[in-house]
Amino acid sequence: MPLPLPLPKPIREIGRKRINRAPSPLLAVAVPWLVVMAGSLSPMWPVIASAPILPPIGFLMLVAWEQLRPGILPVWAGLPLGLFDDLYSGQPLGSAILLWSIAVILLDFVETRFPWRGFALNWLFASAVIAAYLFLAQALAQPGGVGVPLAILPQLGISLLLYPLIARLVALFDRFRLMPVREA
Amino acid sequence: MAPTGSRRPGHSRRAQYGTFLNYSLAVAGAAAGGALLLVVASDATAFSGLRGAATDLAAPAGEVGAGARAESQGLLLTLGAYFTKGSRVAQLEREVAQARVRLVEAEALHEENRELRALLKLSQSDPKPIASARLIGSSASSTRRYATLGVGSLQGVAPGMPVVSPLGLVGRVLEVGRSSARVLLITDSQSIIPVRRASDGTVALAVGHPDGTVQLKLQSLGVNPLRAGDAFVTSGSGGLFRPGIPFAVVARPTRDGAIARPLSDPAATDFVIVEPQWDEAGLDSTLPAPAGGQ
C-alpha cells in the first residue's frame, strides 16, 4: 500500500475546476423563488404556537431578495409567491397575494427613488414594510376588524431583529446561486 | 454604472412593452388578491380543497419535525426538573395523597352515575375515537390559530370533529385533505365554545384570544361569580363537543367574565385524538330507531 494515501477525489478537485466555469442558469433563476417558498413553509416547522410569535419568514426573505438583488424577482412575483404562502400560512386566501404584490411594487419604487442605500437605511425601509405588512395581515385575518393589534407586538419585535440575519442568509444563498458549476 | 432612476429600458419598443406588461401584471396580481379576499370573506370554505391538497404535499416533512419537537420538549422539561427536584417531589407527594382520596370519591360517583344512567336508559359509552395523530404544524406567524393534523379523510376525519389531547380540548377539525386536516384551535378568535364551570355548572361561552388565552363570557348577567383557579369543562350544548371535556382554568376575572388559560397546550401535546361529533354519537346511541322507516 502506498503510504501517502491519496486524498479523496472531491478534495483533490477543490480549486482545480474554478477556471473556465460559469454559474448554472437554472440555479441562478430558481434559487430566489425556492428560498422564498421554503420560508413560506415555516408553518410546517416543529413549532406549535398558541400565539403569533414566529416571524413571517417567507415575507422577510422576499424583502431581503428585493433589497439584495433588485429585479431578480419580477415585479409580479407577489402573485405566485403570495398564493403559495396563503396555502400554508393560515391567513385567508388572497391576503398574501394582495400584500406581497403591493410590497414588491413598493420596494421597486424605493429602489428607483433611493438607489444608494446602506445597511441602516435598508433595515429602516424593511422595518417599515414589515411593520405595515404584519399590521395589515392581522387586520385582514380578523373578519369585521376586531383584531388585537397588541398581540402582534412580540412578533413585530422578533421580525425586525431577525431581518438582518435573514438578509445575511439570503446573501449566502445568492453566493450559492452564482456558484460556478457549469463549463463555460 | 449608476442607476438612472428611470424604468424606461431604452429605445427598444419590445423592451418597453415588456416592462409595461410586468407592472400591469403586478397591479393585476394585487387586484386578484383583493378579489380573492372578498370571495373568502363571503364563503369561508372556498378553496379549502386547494389548501388541503397543498397541506397533504407538505405533511410528510411536518411529521418528521413533529417527532423532533416532542423529543426536544421532553429533554428541556427533564433538564429543568433537575433544578427544582426536591421541593417538587414533596409537593407532588402531597398532591398524590390528596388525589388518591379524590380518585376513590370519583369512582363512587362514576358508579352512581352509571346506575342513574341505566335508570334513564341512556347509553354510557364515550364516543369511540376516529383517529389519533400528531399535530404537525401551526399558523405560528398569523394571528389566526390553526394547526395541521397528520390524518385526513382517508382515516375518516370530517369537518366539525372535536380534537382532544389527554389534557383537554385542543380544537375542532375545520378543513380536511386526504391525509392531513386543518384544526381550528380553541384560542382562535373565531372559535366559540359553550362551557360550564366544573364545580356548579355556571354556563359561559369561551372565545379565543390571539395571545393564547380564551375569554369566558357569562351567559347570565349579575355579580361575576368567577374566581381565579376555577376549572371549566365543555357543556355539550350546541352538539359539537361532548360534555365534560376539560377546557380551561380561570387566570383572572374581568367585569363580565374572565380570562382563562387553556388546559391543553398544543405545543406540549404529542398525540391528539379526533372524536366523532357529539350530536351524531348521541343520536346513534340514545334515541330509538325511527319506527316504520325503511
Side-chain angles (χ1 to χ4, degrees):
Chain A
M1 195 165 79
L3 250 190
L5 287 172
L7 286 168
K9 196 167 179 214
I11 295 182
R12 272 183 291 148
E13 297 290 319
I14 288 179
R16 190 173 292 180
K17 285 194 170 174
R18 289 288 175 86
I19 303 170
N20 199 22
R21 299 278 138 161
S24 138
L26 180 71
L27 274 186
V29 172
V31 164
W33 296 86
L34 292 180
V35 166
V36 175
M37 283 160 78
S40 289
L41 280 178
S42 63
M44 287 287 163
W45 289 358
V47 177
I48 307 285
S50 52
I53 46 159
L54 208 65
I57 306 277
F59 185 73
L60 294 188
M61 289 190 155
L62 178 78
V63 176
W65 274 113
E66 285 289 330
Q67 291 198 329
L68 180 73
R69 295 268 179 198
I72 195 162
L73 292 169
V75 75
W76 45 264
L79 174 65
L81 289 175
L83 175 65
F84 186 81
D85 187 74
D86 271 337
L87 290 179
Y88 293 101
S89 71
Q91 293 280 116
L93 194 87
S95 118
I97 298 179
L98 175 67
L99 296 177
W100 288 32
S101 293
I102 295 175
V104 174
I105 295 173
L106 200 69
L107 287 166
D108 178 80
F109 170 76
V110 168
E111 173 59 31
T112 41
R113 183 71 183 75
F114 307 99
W116 306 109
R117 301 184 308 269
F119 168 74
L121 207 54
N122 262 341
W123 197 3
L124 188 74
F125 280 133
S127 299
V129 171
I130 293 165
Y133 169 74
L134 284 180
F135 185 78
L136 290 174
Q138 76 94 24
L140 289 178
Q142 309 292 338
V146 288
V148 185
L150 284 181
I152 63 164
L153 284 187
Q155 188 192 15
L156 181 61
I158 296 174
S159 303
L160 298 190
L161 291 179
L162 198 68
Y163 179 74
L165 210 64
I166 297 272
R168 287 310 290 256
L169 194 67
V170 162
L172 196 74
F173 277 112
D174 190 52
R175 290 192 61 179
F176 170 73
R177 181 178 78 92
L178 296 176
M179 233 168 34
V181 289
R182 195 176 60 99
E183 279 190 42
Chain B
M1 194 182 85
T4 58
S6 162
R7 289 186 185 82
R8 187 173 284 268
H11 288 296
S12 158
R13 264 295 149 86
R14 206 184 133 144
Q16 288 173 7
Y17 284 147
T19 310
F20 177 71
L21 188 68
N22 268 346
Y23 281 96
S24 309
L25 274 177
V27 175
L36 280 176
L37 271 177
L38 287 182
V39 172
V40 173
S42 62
D43 175 16
T45 59
F47 309 111
S48 66
L50 193 62
R51 265 202 298 259
T55 320
D56 280 354
L57 277 181
E63 290 281 0
V64 176
R69 182 188 79 237
E71 276 167 28
S72 64
Q73 292 246 347
L75 183 69
L76 286 178
L77 283 179
T78 312
L79 285 179
Y82 269 105
F83 292 97
T84 52
K85 200 171 170 190
S87 59
R88 278 157 62 99
V89 167
Q91 188 196 352
L92 288 174
E93 273 175 356
R94 265 200 313 278
E95 284 181 7
V96 165
Q98 290 172 359
R100 278 208 190 97
V101 179
R102 291 281 172 83
L103 189 64
V104 174
E105 290 174 8
E107 270 171 9
L109 284 176
H110 191 73
E111 186 62 23
E112 188 186 344
N113 204 349
R114 202 181 59 79
E115 284 168 7
L116 289 174
R117 277 172 173 271
L119 275 178
L120 289 172
K121 298 200 167 41
L122 288 174
S123 90
Q124 171 66 31
S125 62
D126 279 344
K128 199 178 256 183
I130 301 276
S132 78
R134 278 192 165 122
L135 292 178
I136 56 175
S138 81
S139 57
S141 58
S142 169
T143 46
R144 300 299 304 271
R145 299 261 59 82
Y146 297 112
T148 312
L149 198 63
V151 289
S153 58
L154 286 180
Q155 284 83 9
V157 177
M161 289 179 171
V163 179
V164 299
S165 78
L167 291 175
L169 187 64
V170 171
R172 66 185 160 93
V173 176
L174 197 67
E175 293 167 0
V176 177
R178 285 175 66 76
S179 61
S180 68
R182 185 175 279 240
V183 179
L184 184 76
L185 297 178
I186 53 176
T187 49
D188 187 88
S189 56
Q190 297 297 303
S191 153
I192 300 175
I193 293 167
V195 294
R196 62 180 162 83
R197 185 153 67 173
S199 55
D200 64 351
T202 307
V203 220
L205 282 180
V207 184
H209 258 198
D211 58 356
T213 57
V214 291
Q215 184 169 25
L216 300 175
K217 291 180 176 167
L218 287 175
Q219 299 287 69
S220 54
L221 297 171
V223 181
N224 186 352
L226 301 183
R227 296 285 170 272
D230 285 355
F232 272 78
V233 297
T234 53
S235 72
S237 62
L240 213 53
F241 308 105
R242 70 183 157 85
I245 308 176
F247 184 76
V249 171
V250 171
R252 73 190 140 81
T254 57
R255 202 164 44 81
D256 58 344
I259 300 289
R261 190 163 297 114
L263 281 166
S264 72
D265 177 11
T269 50
D270 193 4
F271 276 89
V272 293
I273 291 170
V274 184
E275 288 187 350
Q277 279 185 28
W278 171 247
D279 54 351
E280 288 171 11
L283 282 178
D284 286 349
S285 56
T286 58
L287 291 184
Q294 292 156 37

